[in-house]
Amino acid sequence: MHGLINRAIQCFVRDTYGAELWLDVTRQARLDGQGFEAMLYYDDALTERVLNRVGALLAKEREALLEDIGIYLVSHPNVEALRRLLRFGGVSFVEFLHSLDDLPDRARLAVSDLELPRLELHECPSNCFRLFCQSPYVGYGHVMLGVLRTMADDYGALVFLDIHSRAPGDDVIEITVIEMAFAEGRSFDLGAGVG
């Protein structure tokens, strides 16, 4: 597993639950040192041990934990750059959805060896969409569910989201856009704040 993904899990735990919980995870998962290096590769089994230990320590089901990681990735101030990258996908939530097909390729522009899940959006009648999320790593669909939930709020859209697993690593997220301008979205400027 790419270190950037492992590092995201580490930052989620530390930023959300504190450094002490992360140290407990590292001890129980037999992780050398105190964390992951973003540009290294790690055995998938180590990532699984870390996720299992986090879930056990928090008494959280795996799917809920992965969705929380997705929410963190686009809502926490420490990872604002990812939110900004996603917001460049469009000025509305529906435009953002249409940009998701290209997300893995855009991510590879920044990190050439980062393999994100394959995303494919299908539009259905009546403001409904299906996002097919395929990955060799089970659970990316739930991370994406958290990302979508948070981005809908970010755009001020009212949406209904549901996820179905067709097979391990093959999820379908059903998205129903109820109202595009339900609430005021978070502000977004093309230029990053200088400061």
Side-chain angles (χ1 to χ4, degrees), residues 154-173:
D154 205 76
Y155 279 100
L158 177 62
V159 302
F160 178 75
L161 300 169
D162 197 17
I163 189 168
H164 305 284
S165 182
R166 300 188 307 177
D170 187 2
D171 299 312
V172 179
I173 302 174

